[in-house]
Amino acid sequence: LEAELEKAGLKISGYAKLMMHSKDFETKKKSLQVDLVRLKVRDFGVGDYHLTMDELYKKAEEIGLELCPAEVGPHYRLHHENPPLNEWLRIAMKPINIPGPGGPGFPSIFNLERLSDGVWLRDDLADLAYPDDVFVFNKYTEPAQIGFNGFGSFGDKFAKQAGIISARIKTV
């Protein structure tokens, strides 16, 4: 996966590489269909307040969203390699602990960016979520259900705000 990203000319930060080499980073043996939702933190009704990651993840779960498998970050970056300039997307996922110098390290999530110096797969500290941060969540589906059948528990408010992306994660 790392070689595919580099072959496509995408940049990977050193810490993102450490995350991909972590024992906590897994890729599925076969393709996996995920339905992704992009929401700003303020879309959860928090106004101008920030949330801890635990608070954000709890609010997402209340409206039928779940965390993405960690592999969504690199795969999303690989398959969406031409995002708008200055776009930042944070992958809602179980944090992967990046070893720190002489310490226990720090919990991180994948951050997808396009800056003036290129298209990046980076790491981001999994601590606070600010109102304008955009997170990518997995829309919950029953284990036997594949695909996305409408907005379900999102309601009209989220139907207008949510960016629904159906993605097939192809793994080797």
Side-chain angles (χ1 to χ4, degrees), residues 10 12 14 17 26-27 30 36 46 54-55 62 64 66 79 83 97 117 122 126 128 135 138 156 159 161 166 169:
L10 304 169
I12 310 169
K17 287 181 181 181
E26 298 176 2
T27 57
K30 59 182 180 177
L36 304 175
V46 298
D54 287 341
E55 291 168 335
E62 289 170 1
E66 60 184 20
H79 297 290
N97 200 44
D117 66 342
R122 293 187 191 241
L128 297 176
F135 280 82
N138 188 14
D156 291 337
Q161 297 171 345
S166 181
I169 294 178

Side-chain angles (χ1 to χ4, degrees), residues 88-102:
W88 292 48
L89 300 175
R90 298 176 80 190
I91 303 299
M93 57 181 267
K94 180 181 174 188
I96 295 175
N97 200 44
I98 297 176

Side-chain angles (χ1 to χ4, degrees), residues 70-124:
E71 67 183 301
V72 165
H75 281 288
Y76 190 99
R77 176 69 314 142
L78 185 62
H79 297 290
H80 295 86
E81 58 190 68
N82 194 22
L85 186 62
N86 297 322
E87 178 179 77
W88 292 48
L89 300 175
R90 298 176 80 190
I91 303 299
M93 57 181 267
K94 180 181 174 188
I96 295 175
N97 200 44
I98 297 176
F106 49 97
S108 297
I109 58 175
F110 286 114
N111 187 30
L112 287 55
E113 305 173 9
R114 179 171 184 193
L115 304 173
S116 60
D117 66 342
V119 179
W120 284 90
L121 175 67
R122 293 187 191 241
D123 64 290
D124 200 1

Side-chain angles (χ1 to χ4, degrees), residues 156-170:
D156 291 337
K157 175 184 176 187
F158 288 105
K160 293 176 184 172
Q161 297 171 345
I164 304 298
I165 305 145
S166 181
R168 180 166 300 279
I169 294 178
K170 183 180 177 188

Side-chain angles (χ1 to χ4, degrees), residues 10 20 28 36 42 48 79 81 115 130 133 136 143 145 147 156 163 171:
L10 304 169
M20 291 173 62
K28 304 294 181 211
L36 304 175
R42 74 173 65 253
D48 290 329
H79 297 290
E81 58 190 68
L115 304 173
Y130 293 92
D133 288 348
V136 176
Q145 181 182 359
D156 291 337
T171 60

